[in-house]
Amino acid sequence: MDALAADFRQLTERGLLRADDPHTAADHFAGLALWTPVNQALLVADTPPPEPAGHQSPCHRGHPRLPRRIPLSPPPAEPRH
């Protein structure tokens, strides 16, 4: 966040951005950038994550014995006939 705030401070000094508080601006920017993927991961348990561009690091492959996502609620009951 400090590096992003420093960049925002430089942009403000150059007149390319208007930010009264570069740290708050950096915090808001990061929040906006992460809002959709974080909410998708937390709130939509059955949606697979997007595949990362380029190579896959071991952390993107997941652990073989753990589920990729933990459901927030139990699956719907099978209808009884």
Side-chain angles (χ1 to χ4, degrees):
M1 294 306 288
D2 289 337
L4 188 56
D7 289 341
F8 283 180
R9 183 176 292 107
Q10 282 183 346
L11 290 170
T12 299
E13 290 168 356
R14 292 174 53 195
L16 299 173
L17 179 72
R18 189 174 136 211
D20 296 332
D21 180 354
H23 279 281
T24 300
D27 186 48
H28 289 179
F29 180 82
L32 288 171
L34 296 174
W35 180 265
T36 298
V38 168
N39 281 344
Q40 188 75 16
L42 289 174
L43 302 175
V44 186
D46 61 344
T47 301
E51 291 297 322
H55 77 289
Q56 275 194 326
S57 67
C59 65
H60 287 118
R61 285 186 225 121
H63 192 279
R65 291 177 291 187
L66 297 176
R68 285 187 66 97
R69 299 200 183 278
I70 298 171
L72 298 176
S73 59
E78 293 290 324
R80 292 186 174 178
H81 296 283

